[in-house]
Amino acid sequence: MPSSEPSTHSIVVLPASVEDGFEVYLNGVLQRPEVDFRLDGRHVVFARTLLKDRISGWRWFLGAWGVGTYRQNDTVDIRFELDGQPYVAHDLPIAHAEGDPILKR
C-alpha cells in the first residue's frame, strides 16, 4: 500500500551526454558522492527533499514592486566534460517518486 507521507529523497536524471568524472552542485555548492548524494544507475539520489519554487502571478506582481517573497528553490547542476570541453547542465528537473515522468526521459 503506497504511503501518504511525502518522499524524503529527491532524484535527478543525468543527461545522456554525461559520463564518468562529473561533479554535482546543489545551489552552487559542490556535493560529495556517497556523502551528499548517491548514484543509482543514471539517477543522482539525494537523501532529502529538494524543492523548486513556482512563482505565481501574484508573487511576480509583488516582486515587480520590490516586495520579496522567498521560498526554497533548489537548483541542481552537473559539471562534466565532453570531447575535452567543459559543460554545465544547469537547473535540472527534480523528481520525488519512482513513478515521476521525469525519470522516464
Side-chain angles (χ1 to χ4, degrees):
M1 177 174 221
S3 171
S4 61
E5 294 180 19
S7 174
T8 58
H9 68 276
S10 300
I11 305 166
V12 173
V13 178
L14 288 173
S17 55
V18 175
E19 297 177 2
D20 292 336
F22 59 89
E23 296 175 337
V24 177
Y25 290 82
L26 175 61
N27 301 326
V29 178
L30 180 62
Q31 302 296 291
R32 298 167 295 170
E34 304 306 325
V35 175
D36 301 310
F37 70 91
R38 66 179 171 83
L39 283 177
D40 183 7
R42 302 229 14 110
H43 296 164
V44 177
V45 181
F46 294 89
R48 59 185 172 161
T49 303
L50 304 179
L51 298 175
K52 296 298 299 173
D53 189 14
R54 291 191 174 89
I55 299 176
S56 67
W58 178 245
R59 284 183 56 217
W60 182 90
F61 176 76
L62 288 174
W65 288 97
V67 178
T69 58
Y70 299 97
R71 296 186 182 157
Q72 183 175 349
N73 187 34
D74 294 310
T75 302
V76 177
D77 304 321
I78 306 291
R79 186 196 173 285
F80 63 101
E81 289 191 8
L82 182 63
D83 297 326
Q85 297 294 314
Y87 291 91
V88 175
H90 175 65
D91 200 10
L92 295 172
I94 299 169
H96 297 103
E98 294 301 329
D100 194 307
I102 291 171
L103 301 177
K104 296 178 183 174
R105 291 181 179 180

